Amino acid sequence: MKLNLKIWRQEDAQDKGGFQKYTVDGIDGDMSFLEMLDVLNNTLVEEGVDPIEFDHDCREGICGSCSLQINGEPHGPDRRVTTCQLHMRKFKDGDDIVIEPFRATAFPVIKDLVIDRSAFDRIQHAGGYISVNTSGNTQDANSIPIEKDNADDSFYAATCIGCGACVAACKNASAMLFTAAKVSQFALLPQGEVEAHERVLSMVDQMDKEGFGNCTNTGACEIECPKGISLENIARMNREYLGASFSG
């Protein structure tokens, strides 16, 4: 395939940045989207041009670092996949592809397609932990009965990889789905009850401090989430927050 690419280039956080056009040829449908960018970067390096900076690590849909806005969609046209899992068979020869970083005030651009998602880390640090010592205490798994539905819902919430697609998809740049997933994975388990009230209050407060917008129940976040994190987690977090607010 031969593709026409329009890619965001930005030297640093202070640079205004802008789109630049590139053409890449010889792309196989079985290549991943990141492998296509690797091919382009190899060509740029051979031509003495600075390669395009983009984030990646595992390339297995686990780490969440490869987040790109592709033709206006977080992670591109496929569903329940990250950018690194997106294959070029989703595109056709001669296609025009616009590639840019996730757009949100809380996700400033570092360079080109790389953004700073440390706001998510600070939300997690505000309350995404438990004080129960689980290290080496594997008997907890058998000695504390947990309803299967709760265990399953907690597991599904914990599959959030913190990629930021929910923020990029939201017209308000809300981080409610991310924060709700991190709150829910503990709220549903007895080990998370100790800090339950403090956790939800602290994490929501930190989310607001980071400058994320509010949720208006559009639902784009769940649709674009590569792990399919449910909006039910936001409803659960709202209940947890309300209860914690009245508990004093």
Side-chain angles (χ1 to χ4, degrees), residues 126 183 195-208 237 240-248:
V183 167
E195 296 91 5
H197 289 170
E198 180 184 350
R199 175 183 303 112
V200 67
L201 293 175
S202 297
M203 293 183 76
V204 171
D205 179 62
Q206 188 63 43
M207 177 186 70
D208 291 339
M237 184 178 73
E240 291 281 322
Y241 187 86
L242 186 63
S245 299
F246 282 107
S247 71

Side-chain angles (χ1 to χ4, degrees), residues 151-168:
D152 288 346
D153 288 345
S154 175
F155 177 84
Y156 293 141
T159 61
C160 168
I161 56 176
C163 66
C166 52
V167 176

Side-chain angles (χ1 to χ4, degrees), residues 32 37 43 94 188 215 228:
S32 73
L37 290 177
T43 301
L188 289 159
C215 174

Side-chain angles (χ1 to χ4, degrees), residues 12-82:
D12 52 38
Q14 287 71 46
D15 183 30
K16 184 178 180 180
F19 284 103
Q20 291 189 22
K21 294 182 179 180
Y22 303 92
T23 300
V24 62
D25 203 353
I27 301 302
D28 189 276
D30 289 332
M31 286 182 176
S32 73
F33 199 85
L34 296 189
E35 288 173 332
M36 179 274 293
L37 290 177
D38 290 337
V39 171
L40 174 60
N41 274 344
N42 286 340
T43 301
L44 293 179
V45 170
E46 290 173 358
E47 294 174 352
V49 179
D50 282 346
I52 297 157
E53 298 282 348
F54 61 93
D55 226 346
H56 64 93
D57 190 2
C58 73
R59 297 201 178 203
E60 294 180 345
I62 298 171
C63 70
S65 63
C66 64
S67 307
L68 297 177
Q69 193 89 347
I70 303 167
N71 285 344
E73 293 186 82
H75 297 301
D78 210 350
R79 289 291 174 266
R80 300 293 173 89
V81 299
T82 54

Side-chain angles (χ1 to χ4, degrees), residues 76-93:
D78 210 350
R79 289 291 174 266
R80 300 293 173 89
V81 299
T82 54
T83 300
C84 64
Q85 296 174 302
L86 176 66
H87 284 87
M88 297 311 297
R89 66 178 72 99
K90 284 289 180 179
F91 303 93
K92 302 186 298 295
D93 184 50

